[in-house]
Amino acid sequence: MGIFNKLFGSKNDYPEIDPSSPVVTRLEKFQDHIETLSDEAKQPLEVIPGDDRAFVFIGKPPKKFGIAWIEDGQINNLKTLVERDNVEPPKVQALADRLRQIYENNQQSDRFIAHVGKCDVVVTPSDKFCKELREVVTQVTH
């Protein structure tokens, strides 16, 4: 099946990230949480790491995806917004739509494969992408 994915273009082949890249240090701060997400989701992960938080697209963005963000030692997602923060479902849907738009606007960003603990993830080391995600999530959570 893997060969068909490559032949028909449903799987992207990204270069491996340089192990000496400062992005690797950022990823290591979130390693345990990324591994937890990988174990729970059992789907591809794409990590956009920042200095104090990381955003993780789960699945196959921009069409079908989930999203989580790791901050203050916690994994947060759209479900926690509803359950913990009492954010109304229409606001959550608007947030999901905005996140999709941000992802689509950043599809040309460089992407790499990174080994994070026991899992391989796609990493997008874009400060601009991370900042946009942070701004839109902060608007809903604060």
Side-chain angles (χ1 to χ4, degrees), residues 3-24:
I3 193 161
F4 290 116
N5 286 343
K6 289 183 181 184
L7 285 174
F8 295 107
S10 64
K11 181 173 170 123
N12 293 314
D13 290 321
Y14 300 115
E16 290 206 25
I17 197 161
D18 180 350
S20 64
S21 168
V23 174
V24 173

Side-chain angles (χ1 to χ4, degrees), residues 103-116:
Y103 187 92
E104 289 172 346
N105 292 343
N106 285 279
Q107 281 187 305
Q108 300 307 314
S109 297
D110 290 335
R111 287 173 167 75
F112 301 90
I113 294 294
H115 307 289
V116 180

